[in-house]
Amino acid sequence: MAQYRALVGIDYPPNKRVEAGEVVSDLPGSSIKWLLESNIIESTDAKSKIKQDEPLKERLSKIDLSDGLTTEEEEVILATAKEIEEEKK
Amino acid sequence: MPTFRHGKNTVALLNQFDFTNYFNSATSSNEVELPETTTFGSSTRSYITGIKEGSVGLEGLFSGGALEIDTFFNTAISSDSNIVSTIGPEGAVVGRRAVLLNANETSYEITGGIGDLVAISAELQASGTTGGLDRGVLLAAQATISSAAAISSVDNGASSSNGGVAHLHVTTNSRDGVCTIKIQHSADNSTFADLVTFTNTTASTTTSQRVEVAAGTTVNRYLRANVTTFGGSTGSLIITVGFARR
């Protein structure tokens, strides 16, 4: 599920609230477009510094654990672990 | 069909005071200078838009008690502090039009005549980045707040893109805790984002605030006032909130 960082506080149904700086994944789908266009939220995926053409270990070092893990970041961690296992063999 | 309003419902709030019951006339005016650019060879006059200014004239009845109209105007005329002023010519109803100005008092008159009540009149001159008055809507209108809750939203029909100005008047406050009042905006009238967060209202304190939303800021179609924190255990407050898009 896509994750977004709130840049200001947001109230959204059903009776939920996210504060500025928090990452949230349950914003109403119909509101995502205007929230992005108004710079009220940002995609945590889009903000990722990970570049696909970099070595796995480089990509691993750029993961920011402070704001939770995106799907992409999880894949990098798993792939790096697998690569290290293979190097040991 | 036009919607006409009777003037008897006009509301007037100056700083943390609701002086509606003291006034019987309120006139707001915006003016702009038009320097002439007509030169030799012209057969018609031409002008360019110059500097804007706005003012509000208030007339009413004298009352000289503590924290009443005479004390207020007498103090304000010699003060450097601006008066956060909201005038609602359509009455205290959410969504109705309001005039917002950050004013300096430029005149205050008291008139006493035989056979009539003692009357007052005062002139407020708008001062600020836009030069004139801001015309917006009421998002909370003399609303009694006794719990954390959002007030009904106001539909502008479209978003705007040049910021605005917000006023908060807390005219009565018996609440024994801190309250947070925000203005929120939305494009879908369902999810609302914070646009203006007023400085917290402390326990049992009346106050007023004026917050400018920077030029270039998108203000989405729907606006509402929301009391997001309602601290303490007893008491309530009466608030009026206005917002003018630019």
Side-chain angles (χ1 to χ4, degrees):
Chain A
M1 187 175 284
Q3 292 187 314
Y4 301 93
R5 180 178 290 104
L7 302 179
V8 298
I10 302 168
D11 290 339
Y12 60 101
N15 205 23
K16 291 186 172 181
R17 178 162 176 89
V18 58
E19 296 296 341
E22 292 178 357
V23 173
V24 65
S25 60
D26 60 349
L27 289 168
S30 58
S31 299
I32 298 292
K33 185 170 181 285
W34 75 263
L35 289 169
L36 284 168
E37 287 172 353
S38 301
N39 291 321
I40 292 167
I41 58 170
E42 63 181 9
S43 168
T44 54
D45 293 338
K47 206 175 177 233
S48 172
K49 296 171 184 171
I50 298 169
K51 292 177 181 169
Q52 296 300 326
D53 55 350
E54 284 182 334
L56 273 175
K57 287 177 185 173
E58 281 289 315
R59 290 153 67 180
L60 184 68
S61 68
K62 291 180 178 175
I63 292 176
D64 180 5
L65 294 172
S66 66
D67 59 357
L69 283 177
T70 64
T71 307
E72 183 190 8
E73 288 170 338
E74 285 175 2
E75 287 170 358
V76 170
I77 291 170
L78 290 172
T80 310
K82 193 175 175 184
E83 189 178 83
I84 291 169
E85 284 294 318
E86 286 174 0
E87 283 174 1
K88 284 180 182 174
K89 292 175 187 173
Chain B
M1 276 289 287
T3 304
F4 299 116
R5 307 282 187 206
H6 200 287
K8 68 180 182 180
N9 295 318
T10 298
V11 292
L13 299 106
L14 307 177
N15 287 347
Q16 71 272 38
F17 301 103
D18 184 347
F19 283 134
T20 300
N21 295 334
Y22 293 81
F23 297 122
N24 51 32
S25 173
T27 305
S28 62
S29 61
N30 257 335
E31 294 177 13
V32 63
E33 290 176 350
L34 276 182
E36 187 168 351
T37 55
T38 312
T39 57
F40 293 136
S42 303
S43 54
T44 56
R45 292 186 181 277
S46 58
Y47 303 86
I48 58 171
T49 303
I51 296 171
K52 287 198 300 183
E53 66 173 345
S55 63
V56 167
L58 296 164
E59 296 177 13
L61 302 176
F62 176 92
S63 188
L67 302 180
E68 290 197 284
I69 197 74
D70 179 62
T71 309
F72 179 85
F73 280 137
N74 207 32
T75 305
I77 199 163
S78 56
S79 171
D80 289 334
S81 301
N82 287 345
I83 304 167
V84 178
S85 312
T86 303
I87 311 296
E90 287 193 291
V93 178
V94 170
R96 297 271 173 91
R97 303 291 291 167
V99 174
L100 284 67
L101 66 156
N102 199 28
N104 290 106
E105 183 185 341
T106 56
S107 72
Y108 176 49
E109 293 179 359
I110 303 171
T111 307
I114 193 164
D116 210 346
L117 293 173
V118 179
I120 57 158
S121 64
E123 191 77 18
L124 304 178
Q125 180 70 45
S127 173
T129 51
T130 56
L133 310 175
D134 286 289
R135 296 183 189 274
V137 292
L138 295 175
L139 301 178
Q142 298 173 333
T144 300
I145 305 296
S146 50
S147 65
I151 293 168
S152 300
S153 63
V154 175
D155 183 1
N156 187 56
S159 65
S160 55
S161 59
N162 201 32
V165 60
H167 281 189
L168 166 68
H169 303 269
V170 179
T171 52
T172 302
N173 188 358
S174 61
R175 189 69 187 176
D176 59 348
V178 171
C179 298
T180 307
I181 300 163
K182 297 173 184 279
I183 291 177
Q184 298 178 313
H185 62 150
S186 173
D188 58 12
N189 205 21
S190 173
T191 299
F192 280 83
D194 296 352
L195 179 67
V196 173
T197 301
F198 293 106
T199 302
N200 282 344
T201 300
T202 52
S204 304
T205 305
T206 55
T207 185
S208 65
Q209 293 177 48
R210 175 183 169 93
V211 177
E212 304 236 358
V213 177
T217 303
T218 296
V219 179
N220 284 297
R221 174 176 169 175
Y222 299 91
L223 285 168
R224 73 179 184 187
N226 193 354
V227 181
T228 57
T229 306
F230 198 66
S233 57
T234 61
S236 61
L237 52 164
I238 297 178
I239 66 170
T240 297
V241 177
F243 188 87
R245 298 168 185 262
R246 287 176 172 160

